[in-house]
């Protein structure tokens, strides 16, 4: 297991286990905070080259379109490498945003980390 350097405010913890990255994201993600999220996620993808990324969004009450753009960019990068992204424990407002944008069909959405590990 390797700890991944993170932005402690937005991504308080992230680790790499085998070919999977586990990251916890916290707080509202908007135009001001999404660049830090992008730097952290894409930096980890470039360094560790995972096959799966599991993002725990249980502590994210709100995200705007800039945050969604970061997730989609990360998903595109993962798909090119044959990998996938699992979004875990979405709050209702965030889940609703993804459903409205019909992105719930391209991301793997799981109730918890254990379910995501099996996907």
């Amino acid at each position: 297991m390797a700890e991944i350097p993170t932005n402690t405010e937005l991504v308080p913890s992230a680790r790499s286990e085998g070919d999977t990255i586990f990251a916890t994201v916290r707080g509202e993600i908007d135009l001001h905070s999404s660049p830090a999220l992008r730097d952290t996620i894409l930096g980890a993808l470039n360094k560790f080259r995972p096959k799966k990324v599991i993002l725990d969004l249980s502590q994210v009450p709100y995200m705007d379109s800039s945050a969604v753009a970061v997730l989609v960019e990360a998903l595109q990068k993962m798909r090119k490498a044959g990998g996938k992204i699992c979004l875990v424990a979405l709050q209702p407002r965030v889940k609703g945003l993804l459903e409205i944008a019909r992105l719930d069909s391209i991301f793997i959405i799981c109730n918890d980390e254990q379910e995501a590990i099996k996907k």
Side-chain angles (χ1 to χ4, degrees):
M1 180 169 80
E3 291 296 316
I4 298 172
T6 64
N7 172 327
T8 56
E9 290 276 321
L10 193 60
V11 183
S13 67
R15 69 190 191 280
S16 174
E17 290 184 17
D19 60 0
T20 303
I21 288 178
F22 298 84
T24 300
V25 183
R26 174 175 61 197
E28 294 188 357
I29 308 169
D30 56 22
L31 190 59
H32 299 292
S33 58
S34 61
L37 180 65
R38 180 182 186 275
D39 290 346
T40 301
I41 291 176
L42 294 183
L45 295 184
N46 290 331
K47 182 175 181 182
F48 292 95
R49 306 256 185 242
K51 290 293 178 197
K52 185 188 291 183
V53 174
I54 299 175
L55 294 177
D56 180 344
L57 301 178
S58 62
Q59 299 175 57
V60 178
Y62 170 81
M63 67 171 52
D64 69 6
S65 60
S66 66
V68 172
V70 169
L71 294 178
V72 170
E73 181 180 2
L75 180 63
Q76 289 173 332
K77 188 171 184 65
M78 287 296 293
R79 282 187 169 174
K80 281 182 184 171
K84 53 190 165 186
I85 293 182
C86 299
L87 305 179
V88 174
L90 301 179
Q91 290 198 20
R93 193 169 176 188
V94 172
K95 188 172 186 180
L97 172 67
L98 294 175
E99 288 170 350
I100 288 169
R102 295 197 174 146
L103 295 174
D104 58 325
S105 64
I106 64 167
F107 285 101
I108 299 168
I109 297 176
C110 302
N111 293 319
D112 57 38
E113 194 175 275
Q114 292 307 311
E115 181 184 343
I117 290 169
K118 295 174 186 171
K119 296 285 182 176

